Amino acid sequence: MGEVMGSAKADLKRIDSIIADCRGQRWGLIPLLQEIQRVVGYIPPATIPRIARGLGLFPSQVQGVITFYTQFYTTPRGKNIVRVCRGTACHVRGGKTILKLVKQHLGIEEGETTPDFGYSLETVACIGVCALAPNVVVNADIYGNMNPKKVASLFGDYGGQ
Ligand code: FES
């Protein structure tokens, strides 16, 4: 992920240069959005008209794609992405409580980011390691057999308390 905390002006400059590249290479909208998100960390809504212009689309078409694909974000995200599994196995083995505890420790709700951009919290469908349920994923690391003690040691009294 790119430098999430970059200034809006610097982000705009980087996005403009990505759009300029895409003109030469005839990128599709989705690869362009992915590249912007990779470099800047999210897709600032104010840049949607420029993206549309770059590809000869209407802003509403760009907005529609961003809204449709959950992989795209229009607000800055945290340096660390925490995903609590809400699949069936994790759910029946206490995933709901784990989610509640993670929310408490981070001081944010699902879909939110801590004020210092340290963490964003999401839930995910089954991640395929049900034997370790309930599971929490932090970035690329899976933490299985979660319990309240493990949640506390992962996040401590981080923020929002
Ligand atoms: S339900 Fe959580 S890993 Fe399968």
Side-chain angles (χ1 to χ4, degrees):
M1 186 197 293
E3 201 184 306
V4 173
M5 296 295 289
S7 76
K9 220 172 147 189
D11 286 350
L12 209 62
K13 244 179 116 183
R14 284 188 284 184
I15 289 171
D16 276 344
S17 89
I18 296 167
I19 294 171
D21 277 358
C22 96
R23 278 210 188 93
Q25 299 180 23
R26 299 193 163 273
W27 293 9
L29 175 57
I30 289 177
L32 173 63
L33 294 174
Q34 284 170 332
E35 180 64 4
I36 291 172
Q37 188 158 284
R38 189 186 69 77
V39 172
V40 180
Y42 72 111
I43 298 159
T47 62
I48 289 173
R50 306 161 103 95
I51 296 168
R53 220 175 305 130
L55 291 174
L57 298 169
F58 291 113
S60 58
Q61 291 175 300
V62 176
Q63 180 65 59
V65 167
I66 293 171
T67 309
F68 183 77
Y69 290 97
T70 51
Q71 61 171 301
F72 295 125
Y73 301 92
T74 53
T75 51
R77 302 176 78 216
K79 270 195 220 82
N80 300 291
I81 310 298
V82 180
R83 297 182 173 97
V84 179
C85 181
R86 60 176 155 72
T88 308
C90 287
H91 182 79
V92 300
R93 290 171 72 173
K96 208 171 159 193
T97 305
I98 298 301
L99 177 61
K100 197 171 139 201
L101 290 171
V102 173
K103 284 180 184 177
Q104 272 172 15
H105 281 283
L106 295 180
I108 53 175
E109 290 296 315
E110 191 182 331
E112 292 182 351
T113 297
T114 55
D116 66 353
F117 295 99
Y119 292 92
S120 292
L121 176 60
E122 298 175 354
T123 58
V124 283
C126 176
I127 53 167
V129 283
C130 306
L132 302 177
N135 290 297
V136 171
V137 185
V138 182
N139 303 324
D141 300 321
I142 296 170
Y143 296 88
N145 296 314
M146 288 303 287
N147 57 40
K149 227 172 142 184
K150 283 189 178 178
V151 173
S153 71
L154 257 182
F155 304 110
D157 277 338
Y158 180 88
Q161 299 295 304

